[in-house]
Amino acid sequence: MKLKLLNLSITPKITQKIVQKITRLNSFSWRRVLVATITGLFLFLSAFYVYFQFQNKKIITLKQNVSLLEKKILEQSLTMVFTEAAKIVRERWEGGDLEGHWEKGLLNCPEEIMPANNEGKIVSDLYLRCNPNYLQCYYSGKAGVRDSRIDIRFRGRLFKVVVQNIFPAVNAYSPMQRYYSIVALPHYELHHGVMLSLSTVEYPQYSMKIILEDSCHNTFLPEGVYYSWSNHDRDIYVDKYLVSNRDVWEWVIYSGKWKKIPGINKEFFPYPATNLTVKEMQQYCEFRGKQLMESNVYDAASIYREESEGREDREGREEKEVEVIPDLMAVDVEGTEGTEGTEGAPASLYPWCRENSDAFLYTGIPRRELGKYLTRENCQLVYSYECAQLFKYQPYSNTSTSWMGMNQILGGYPEYLQNSASPRENLKLSSFYLGINSPWHALTKRAYWKGPEVKVGRDLFTALYNQKLPTDIIPLDNALDKGVTDDDELERWLAVGFRCMKTVNVVNKITNKVTNKVTNKVTNKVVNKDGA
Amino acid sequence: MKKYTFFLQVLGFLLGILIGTVLVLGALGVNGCKRSEVDSSQQIKFFEATNFSEWITTYKVNILNPLLINVDKKFSAGVVRSWQPLLKLETLVNERESRSYCIIYRFPAYNGDVTGKKDLKNNDLGELKVVAVTSNDDCDKHLYSKSNNHISGITVLNIWLTDYEQKRFLEKELKPFHLYIMGEVIAQSSKKGMPFALAFPLQNMKKGNVLNLPLSAYPREKFFPSVPRKLLSGVTFLQLELELESQLRPRQ
């Protein structure tokens, strides 16, 4: 049809030639060539499309990977920064008021710590060490340091680390959100810790929590044989100081056992807690992952060890010498002579000397020479009744220290000790209730205390009443000054302190090691067999 | 002319395929090689960065294959191409939650030097992977679990775990309470070895918390610190938290 149409418009000769050529071309099958070319082009485009898609996907994946990698590297860097910052936080935690701002009156947070103009100079700075209330003060800028941020330079970049106040407010302190919280991680064997949250000014969306352990108020009892027992199978840590009102208040707040938190004057925070029953003392120690101090451990921690090993040679002599000490103010709750806490006499009855004869108390001090002996130094060894008239009691002070760092073991507050072997010897009576010449001012001496909830013998309280107790050293209204003489009333006013200890069994560890060794051997054998 | 028709058809077709092949090969071949090399170092960086932040809170380590940890020689005790659990790390996530990580290794097909070996496949080389599990989970159950947290192409591997003491390995000081992963990876195309050494501090590890540590038993010390000995005594770390912008609290 096409050819016929062409014939109509073009001259016949030319038309014929064209038609012939076209016919040839047609027979040459241009269509097939065209199809091949289109196929090639299609393949080209397909390949190009695949290539493009692949490249595009690769770029996206690479971009994602790069941004994920950058994020991970940032997180790694921040982790390192927080680790470095944690070292500085720990320094503050363990060092407390390093600048001495408390004494200078620059500590301005009475809701946490009493100001220096009142009791600050009396209470040792040691009180502020490992004290979360001080951290609250410090990081809220009330401890005399305005900028508590920590500068950490890492890989040439400066990070400003801040401690966040993200923890719920405790109204017993103040309505402000807190910089710390008290936590326990039983699965990690951490029963009491102070949790802080660190963040940076640069990346506030990232934070890391750290938990600080109390490394200031414990001391380790070395492995050894102590009288009739040894601690080969356990590690023992004992409290350096008596448990304070601050500690007990924290327990009351964070244990959640009390519906209503009793109010307390912050001035009494550093002083030993004395108004607790034995059960409450036990509960407190459990809250801290510890137990009440045991009588035998107390003796082991207070009697000079080298001498204690040779005690048998001295036993008889010590017994006789103790008997001849003039009993100027001996008191006993049961109305009998005081008994010694452990079987046999120790090497030295006084923690500051290795021989009894070296102690100024040993032979008794004549009344006319009392003034000569009642020096500040001697009162730091035994804070007796007379000392309480001359010098203020210093809680958290490294005084009357034992050979392994346990403080206030003679004088000061009477102290309750758990004694399962001899339950009627549970009180270290050496205290400010007794005169300097009292034979109770010696190690291993124990009296019997039934606890504040139980009626105590009148004799003790009569003796105490006659002494006119110094009111400024007992952090409660003094009943005796009020003229209370009834036993039921009086029994509550004997201020008995306590401390805790922690025992870690090492038997399990040894068993594990043995098991591991056996397992290794077995594994070796199995492998050898397999190899063979 | 007819006989040329077929020839031209085939020529056009082949031309199309050729162009396509060149392009595809260009995409997969040349760039693929470069990418593989970049990926090896990136993979190691990613592995290090990811695990650094998570393992820093490790408080207990269980050595699942004591013959392969703290050994001077490179791993050779395993059956080739088999997956074996090496370590289980227990970490603290937050004050309530713990998480464990299984470190699993697939032994390479060759124990000797692979340099110059042709036709190396992915399965022929070692692979170290990390699988997050719950504390009660057994690592053996997760030998074949997929994980993006891995290093592949390993030819040499050494893992050292230190307790409270500093150690020396190949003239290197190994700090206490650290996990060291050292070795060499090889890029498949270039077959060039690339050594790597990663150190992970284990901040929450206490003395004696490594189970099955094939080292001499340590004696009890006369005087302990007042808190258990750790990398930073008295401080316990919890894992880094990322808070969404909307959840950020105003700072007072």
Side-chain angles (χ1 to χ4, degrees):
Chain A
M1 283 293 287
K2 282 180 186 171
L3 292 175
K4 281 181 182 176
L5 284 171
L6 284 169
N7 273 337
L8 291 173
S9 59
I10 306 167
T11 51
K13 274 190 179 178
I14 297 166
T15 313
Q16 270 183 349
K17 279 183 181 177
I18 291 168
V19 167
Q20 278 173 359
K21 279 187 179 178
I22 289 171
T23 316
R24 277 179 190 175
L25 280 173
N26 202 24
S27 62
F28 185 65
S29 185
W30 273 108
R31 275 189 300 175
R32 289 183 184 177
V33 176
L34 208 65
V35 168
T37 314
I38 288 167
T39 312
L41 197 69
F42 177 74
L43 278 173
F44 172 79
L45 288 174
S46 303
F48 184 77
Y49 178 75
V50 169
Y51 173 75
F52 180 77
Q53 284 296 321
F54 179 76
Q55 284 291 340
N56 198 29
K57 213 169 192 179
K58 198 174 79 178
I59 289 164
I60 292 167
T61 317
L62 275 173
K63 273 184 182 173
Q64 281 174 345
N65 283 348
V66 167
S67 74
L68 187 65
L69 181 64
E70 278 174 357
K71 187 186 163 213
K72 292 288 175 190
I73 289 172
L74 171 69
E75 287 178 357
Q76 182 186 3
S77 303
L78 285 173
T79 304
M80 287 180 179
V81 166
F82 289 137
T83 311
E84 287 304 308
K87 290 178 188 170
I88 295 165
V89 173
R90 187 186 68 162
E91 274 174 31
R92 178 59 59 182
W93 165 249
E94 291 182 349
D97 182 25
L98 297 165
E99 298 84 3
H101 285 158
W102 194 22
E103 201 173 348
K104 292 172 192 164
L106 297 172
L107 212 72
N108 185 28
C109 47
E111 68 279 7
E112 307 285 338
I113 291 162
M114 72 282 192
N117 56 5
N118 201 348
E119 290 284 323
K121 286 176 187 172
I122 300 301
V123 179
S124 160
D125 289 344
L126 294 171
Y127 171 63
L128 300 186
R129 295 186 186 176
C130 296
N131 184 335
N133 292 100
Y134 173 70
L135 286 191
Q136 177 74 19
C137 242
Y138 181 80
Y139 289 113
S140 57
K142 295 176 179 175
V145 180
R146 280 189 181 177
D147 190 2
S148 58
R149 289 184 297 189
I150 302 160
D151 289 347
I152 303 287
R153 194 167 283 283
F154 183 73
R155 288 180 183 161
R157 200 173 160 190
L158 186 70
F159 290 89
K160 286 196 174 293
V161 179
V162 291
V163 177
Q164 296 176 302
N165 56 340
I166 58 166
F167 299 104
V170 175
N171 287 329
Y173 288 115
S174 77
M176 251 186 77
Q177 277 198 304
R178 297 195 73 73
Y179 287 86
Y180 73 89
S181 181
I182 303 294
V183 291
L185 279 69
H187 58 289
Y188 180 57
E189 293 170 5
L190 178 70
H191 299 279
H192 180 271
V194 175
M195 186 161 71
L196 305 179
S197 178
L198 307 181
S199 186
T200 56
V201 174
E202 294 76 15
Y203 298 98
Q205 68 272 32
Y206 283 101
S207 64
M208 186 185 237
K209 292 198 177 81
I210 59 167
I211 300 168
L212 302 168
E213 289 170 62
D214 184 353
S215 51
C216 313
H217 301 135
N218 304 313
T219 181
F220 178 71
L221 182 69
E223 185 187 355
V225 179
Y226 301 97
Y227 297 95
S228 55
W229 66 282
S230 77
N231 62 340
H232 287 305
D233 56 345
R234 52 187 176 148
D235 289 338
I236 297 173
Y237 301 86
V238 300
D239 283 3
K240 281 183 185 175
Y241 311 102
L242 292 170
V243 173
S244 69
N245 286 316
R246 195 213 74 80
D247 298 328
V248 170
W249 216 50
E250 187 179 87
W251 164 58
V252 169
I253 291 167
Y254 287 98
S255 64
K257 285 181 181 173
W258 276 259
K259 284 180 184 172
K260 193 182 173 187
I261 298 161
I264 185 170
N265 190 334
K266 305 282 189 303
E267 283 180 20
F268 300 132
F269 259 27
Y271 287 89
T274 56
N275 50 352
L276 274 74
T277 64
V278 173
K279 196 179 174 187
E280 286 168 342
M281 290 174 185
Q282 282 168 339
Q283 284 176 340
Y284 166 82
C285 290
E286 280 168 19
F287 170 74
R288 300 291 295 239
K290 300 177 183 180
Q291 64 183 91
L292 256 173
M293 175 62 94
E294 287 173 5
S295 179
N296 60 337
V297 175
Y298 190 89
D299 284 338
S302 54
I303 298 164
Y304 193 70
R305 196 180 160 207
E306 187 184 283
E307 293 294 321
S308 69
E309 283 167 358
R311 68 190 171 84
E312 283 177 13
D313 299 335
R314 302 166 176 276
E315 222 166 38
R317 201 188 80 189
E318 296 290 350
E319 283 288 338
K320 281 180 188 173
E321 283 170 351
V322 168
E323 281 169 14
V324 295
I325 295 172
D327 194 358
L328 300 179
M329 281 205 58
V331 286
D332 192 322
V333 283
E334 295 293 297
T336 59
E337 289 294 317
T339 52
E340 290 178 0
T342 51
E343 202 175 303
S348 174
L349 292 165
Y350 310 99
W352 62 89
C353 58
R354 294 167 73 174
E355 297 289 337
N356 282 329
S357 52
D358 294 340
F360 68 96
L361 287 178
Y362 183 59
T363 51
I365 304 164
R367 281 194 181 277
R368 62 179 180 280
E369 289 183 29
L370 269 178
K372 184 184 159 189
Y373 284 96
L374 289 170
T375 60
R376 184 178 288 277
E377 288 73 32
N378 284 343
C379 283
Q380 285 181 344
L381 299 174
V382 183
Y383 190 78
S384 65
Y385 167 73
E386 295 86 351
C387 292
Q389 316 300 314
L390 298 169
F391 310 106
K392 285 202 168 183
Y393 177 80
Q394 275 196 306
Y396 283 97
S397 61
N398 289 339
T399 54
S400 190
T401 307
S402 81
W403 64 278
M404 48 77 75
M406 190 168 72
N407 294 300
Q408 297 162 337
I409 55 173
L410 282 187
Y413 283 76
E415 187 174 339
Y416 176 78
L417 302 165
Q418 209 158 39
N419 194 346
S420 50
S422 307
R424 296 180 75 81
E425 295 171 5
N426 64 7
L427 187 71
K428 181 220 86 172
L429 192 58
S430 169
S431 62
F432 46 64
Y433 292 111
L434 305 171
I436 192 81
N437 273 324
S438 167
W440 288 91
H441 293 307
L443 299 176
T444 75
K445 300 268 185 176
R446 299 281 186 276
Y448 180 41
W449 185 61
K450 293 175 185 171
E453 75 277 21
V454 183
K455 200 174 177 182
V456 185
R458 173 177 280 275
D459 292 345
L460 174 61
F461 292 111
T462 310
L464 296 176
Y465 181 71
N466 291 335
Q467 283 186 61
K468 291 184 182 171
L469 287 170
T471 53
D472 59 335
I473 54 172
I474 300 176
L476 294 167
D477 292 333
N478 195 307
L480 297 165
D481 271 7
K482 288 177 182 173
V484 180
T485 52
D486 179 54
D487 281 352
D488 291 335
E489 280 293 312
L490 278 168
E491 70 190 17
R492 292 195 285 133
W493 308 120
L494 178 64
V496 174
F498 70 105
R499 70 180 88 205
C500 309
M501 57 178 261
K502 187 179 179 180
T503 303
V504 181
N505 281 336
V506 291
V507 180
N508 293 341
K509 286 183 185 174
I510 293 164
T511 318
N512 275 341
K513 269 182 209 162
V514 173
T515 316
N516 292 342
K517 276 186 180 178
V518 173
T519 315
N520 289 350
K521 279 182 185 174
V522 172
T523 321
N524 276 332
K525 276 181 188 171
V526 171
V527 171
N528 290 339
K529 273 184 183 177
D530 286 350
Chain B
M1 218 39 196
K2 256 187 181 178
K3 59 185 175 185
Y4 294 116
T5 310
F6 179 72
F7 175 72
L8 282 172
Q9 273 180 307
V10 171
L11 200 70
F13 183 77
L14 285 177
L15 192 72
I17 289 183
L18 194 70
I19 293 165
T21 312
V22 167
L23 286 171
V24 170
L25 281 178
L28 291 174
V30 183
N31 287 327
C33 288
K34 279 181 188 169
R35 198 170 68 92
S36 163
E37 278 173 14
V38 169
D39 272 359
S40 292
S41 66
Q42 277 199 340
Q43 201 180 50
I44 291 167
K45 273 185 192 169
F46 185 81
F47 183 88
E48 184 188 19
T50 305
N51 296 317
F52 190 94
S53 306
E54 291 172 0
W55 292 354
I56 201 159
T57 64
T58 301
Y59 66 95
K60 197 186 272 181
V61 180
N62 194 353
I63 298 177
L64 303 170
N65 199 334
L67 297 173
L68 302 175
I69 309 298
N70 293 8
V71 182
D72 286 338
K73 296 175 287 181
K74 72 172 190 174
F75 287 11
S76 57
V79 178
V80 292
R81 292 198 182 103
S82 70
W83 287 100
Q84 285 205 21
L86 303 178
L87 297 167
K88 188 179 179 189
L89 311 181
E90 288 184 36
T91 65
L92 295 174
V93 180
N94 52 45
E95 62 269 36
R96 293 171 297 277
E97 197 185 337
S98 292
R99 188 181 297 151
S100 297
Y101 294 92
C102 294
I103 303 179
I104 301 166
Y105 184 56
R106 187 191 62 212
F107 285 88
Y110 304 98
N111 272 329
D113 188 10
V114 293
T115 314
K117 271 203 176 2
K118 289 177 182 176
D119 304 328
L120 273 176
K121 291 173 189 169
N122 259 337
N123 289 350
D124 294 336
L125 297 166
E127 186 175 334
L128 191 71
K129 70 178 175 186
V130 178
V131 183
V133 298
T134 57
S135 294
N136 301 328
D137 243 352
D138 196 350
C139 285
D140 286 328
K141 289 180 191 169
H142 297 275
L143 292 182
Y144 303 102
S145 301
K146 282 189 177 178
S147 172
N148 288 329
N149 187 358
H150 69 122
I151 301 176
S152 55
I154 296 173
T155 53
V156 181
L157 185 69
N158 270 109
I159 294 187
W160 274 78
L161 181 70
T162 52
D163 196 1
Y164 71 110
E165 272 181 333
Q166 190 161 296
K167 296 271 168 201
R168 282 185 77 80
F169 167 65
L170 298 176
E171 302 301 315
K172 283 180 187 169
E173 293 286 342
L174 303 183
K175 292 177 194 167
F177 297 120
H178 271 68
L179 173 67
Y180 291 91
I181 299 178
M182 295 170 275
E184 197 173 282
V185 290
I186 194 158
Q188 278 204 344
S189 56
S190 65
K191 293 191 174 61
K192 282 182 182 171
M194 190 175 74
F196 67 92
L198 310 175
F200 300 95
L202 311 175
Q203 289 286 357
N204 294 339
M205 277 281 288
K206 292 174 192 169
K207 186 184 167 185
N209 260 11
V210 183
L211 305 176
N212 303 327
L213 186 68
L215 291 172
S216 56
Y218 43 82
R220 278 183 72 195
E221 285 170 83
K222 281 247 171 187
F223 292 92
F224 267 38
S226 59
V227 289
R229 187 173 287 185
K230 291 182 352 185
L231 212 49
L232 188 58
S233 288
V235 183
T236 301
F237 289 83
L238 302 179
Q239 272 183 16
L240 192 74
E241 289 174 30
L242 174 61
E243 205 167 11
L244 298 173
E245 292 283 338
S246 55
Q247 294 173 336
L248 281 176
R249 298 175 187 90
R251 190 169 284 119
Q252 286 182 14

